[in-house]
């Protein structure tokens, strides 16, 4: 297993330089930084998950209409949020890599896709578990659920398209185009309950109105959302380090890194 070590001095960012942050666009410089951040984000994710689940399952009151079955929202809603946020982040990095030809940007897009896929599946699965006792059905082909299923297919398509092409550059470009086209699905998901008559209930949290839920419920969901954020960052950084080593395996700094660890 390869662990992080500092890259060659000539690759390290110079403190005080105007462009010091741009130095982290180099995989050789970003690799050790990611290794230092990963345990902190995993620890933060674990702590926030414990706090959020405790609030959601033991402190938040029972809903007067849905009983305790509603408590699945402490997984369902944050997962749904993260699946959309990660897709936007994935599309952003993919397009940055396409436009500016930056290797690390394309690697970040590839690293985010599996985590986004997981959260999309989790949102669909927990939504079905919640829907059965609440609305009497596991699934309906309404606008919200159908557009979310399309999001899952977009993630799977992105991963499959990149895996199908042997040339990394071609795979990054093809994935960026698909990701950019799929961005149109995000506002459809978000506004579907307002644009169409759907079985799915409207949002309990709005940027333009006060929340319609008890404060402890809101805090539980927000803390779980932060936990999923921390996990997503840690997972993406872990995965991007593997991608960096795979794509940069012929570079001098990777050979030097491997030799030091062998």
């Amino acid at each position: 297993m390869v662990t992080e070590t500092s890259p060659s001095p000539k690759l390290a960012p110079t403190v005080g330089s105007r462009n010091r942050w741009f130095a982290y666009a180099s995989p050789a410089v970003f690799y050790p930084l990611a290794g230092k951040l990963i345990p902190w984000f995993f620890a933060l994710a674990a702590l926030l998950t414990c706090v959020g689940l405790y609030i959601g399952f033991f402190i938040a009151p029972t809903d007067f209409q849905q009983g305790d079955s509603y408590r699945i929202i402490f997984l369902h809603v944050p997962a749904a949020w993260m699946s959309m946020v990660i897709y936007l982040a994935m599309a952003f990095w993919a397009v940055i890599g396409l436009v500016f030809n930056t290797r690390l940007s394309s690697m970040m897009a590839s690293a985010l896709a599996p985590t986004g896929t997981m959260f999309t599946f989790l949102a669909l699965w927990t939504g079905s578990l919640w829907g059965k006792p609440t609305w009497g059905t596991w699934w309906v082909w309404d606008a919200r659920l159908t557009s979310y299923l399309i999001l899952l297919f977009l993630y799977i398509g992105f991963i499959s398209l990149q895996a199908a092409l042997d040339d990394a550059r071609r795979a990054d470009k093809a994935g960026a185009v698909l990701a950019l086209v799929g961005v149109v699905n995000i506002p459809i998901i978000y506004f579907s309950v307002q644009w169409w008559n759907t079985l799915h209930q409207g949002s309990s949290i709005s940027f333009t109105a006060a929340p319609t839920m008890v404060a402890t419920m809101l805090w539980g969901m927000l803390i779980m959302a932060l936990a999923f954020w921390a996990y997503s960052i840690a997972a993406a950084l872990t995965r991007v380090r593997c991608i960096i080593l795979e794509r940069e395996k012929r570079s001098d700094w990777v050979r030097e890194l491997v030799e030091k660890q062998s």
Side-chain angles (χ1 to χ4, degrees):
M1 177 178 180
V2 180
T3 57
E4 66 273 7
T5 59
S6 299
S8 302
K10 63 181 180 180
L11 294 174
T14 304
V15 177
S17 171
R18 290 178 58 188
N19 298 323
R20 65 184 181 275
W21 293 111
F22 290 100
Y24 289 108
S26 167
V29 178
F30 185 79
Y31 181 87
L33 173 65
K36 295 176 182 177
L37 294 176
I38 287 169
W40 290 99
F41 279 107
F42 270 131
L44 181 61
L47 176 62
L48 290 173
T49 299
C50 291
V51 173
L53 290 179
Y54 181 77
I55 292 175
F57 286 93
F58 297 101
I59 297 180
T62 300
D63 187 79
F64 74 97
Q65 287 182 322
Q66 303 180 41
D68 287 322
S69 65
Y70 89 95
R71 296 184 190 277
I72 202 167
I73 69 169
F74 295 105
L75 291 174
H76 173 71
V77 174
W81 288 343
M82 284 310 304
S83 63
M84 291 187 288
V85 169
I86 291 176
Y87 190 89
L88 292 175
M90 182 188 77
F92 170 80
W93 286 118
V95 172
I96 290 295
L98 177 65
V99 174
F100 296 101
N101 198 31
T102 51
R103 293 173 296 162
L104 186 59
S105 299
S106 299
M107 294 179 195
M108 281 300 301
S110 300
L112 285 165
T115 305
T117 306
M118 180 197 71
F119 279 123
T120 306
F121 177 79
L122 180 61
L124 288 168
W125 178 54
T126 53
S128 295
L129 293 178
W130 186 16
K132 182 59 176 177
T134 305
W135 296 295
T137 182
W138 298 101
W139 179 268
V140 291
W141 292 97
D142 73 351
R144 171 60 64 85
L145 275 66
T146 303
S147 56
Y148 237 100
L149 184 61
I150 292 173
L151 180 64
L152 179 63
F153 291 155
L154 285 169
Y155 272 122
I156 295 174
F158 180 87
I159 296 171
S160 301
L161 182 59
Q162 289 202 319
L165 299 175
D166 294 331
D167 183 78
R169 290 294 185 181
R170 288 182 58 205
D172 290 339
K173 291 179 180 178
V177 172
L178 177 61
L180 184 60
V181 172
V183 167
V184 71
N185 190 50
I186 301 301
I188 293 176
I189 294 173
Y190 186 80
F191 293 108
S192 58
V193 294
Q194 300 176 25
W195 292 346
W196 297 285
N197 182 24
T198 67
L199 179 65
H200 197 285
Q201 70 184 54
S203 176
S204 300
I205 301 176
S206 172
F207 293 107
T208 59
T212 59
M213 60 175 59
V214 178
T216 50
M217 297 181 184
L218 178 61
W219 276 109
M221 280 203 304
L222 293 178
I223 291 173
M224 285 301 298
L226 291 175
F228 285 175
W229 264 97
Y231 171 80
S232 299
I233 294 172
L237 291 177
T238 302
R239 198 172 290 112
V240 80
R241 278 164 56 91
C242 297
I243 296 173
I244 288 173
L245 290 179
E246 175 64 26
R247 294 196 182 184
E248 302 287 311
K249 59 186 176 183
R250 294 185 178 84
S251 61
D252 293 336
W253 74 270
V254 172
R255 292 197 194 99
E256 181 182 342
L257 190 63
V258 172
E259 289 175 359
K260 287 182 179 180
Q261 299 302 319
S262 60

